[in-house]
Amino acid sequence: MINNQGRFRINDIGTDIHRSAREYYRTINDDFTSARGETLTESCFKRGDWNTEVYTRTTLSCTTDHFIVHAQLDAYENEYRVFLKTGKVL
């Protein structure tokens, strides 16, 4: 599933924005533990010499006893990574 909002501009504040998301889902036959969902997002904001980009990746899977969520957030300002966080929750 693709949700590409494209690029647009907020003229009142002179900011260019780009947003997109891709979602993937899969399962194998009747094996509910094979179910997996993944979402990838990209958000970019630019005004003058200020430029930020945020990327996320989230996956959801399961075992017979637990749901497993794995998430990553990666943020950049003017092409330099300023934040990265990865986490996993059962």
Side-chain angles (χ1 to χ4, degrees), residues 32-33 60-69 89-90:
F32 75 91
T33 62
L60 172 64
S61 59
C62 66
T63 66
T64 55
D65 299 320
H66 298 94
F67 286 106
I68 303 166
V69 178
V89 178
L90 292 175

Side-chain angles (χ1 to χ4, degrees), residues 5-11 15-19 44-45:
Q5 297 177 3
R7 297 184 187 279
F8 56 95
R9 181 176 181 83
I10 301 175
N11 289 324
T15 302
D16 296 314
I17 299 172
H18 167 72
R19 291 185 179 166
C44 304
F45 305 90

Side-chain angles (χ1 to χ4, degrees), residues 51-75:
N51 183 26
T52 62
E53 301 173 15
V54 178
Y55 302 92
T56 65
R57 178 179 181 210
T58 307
T59 60
L60 172 64
S61 59
C62 66
T63 66
T64 55
D65 299 320
H66 298 94
F67 286 106
I68 303 166
V69 178
H70 185 269
Q72 179 176 335
L73 181 131
D74 200 5

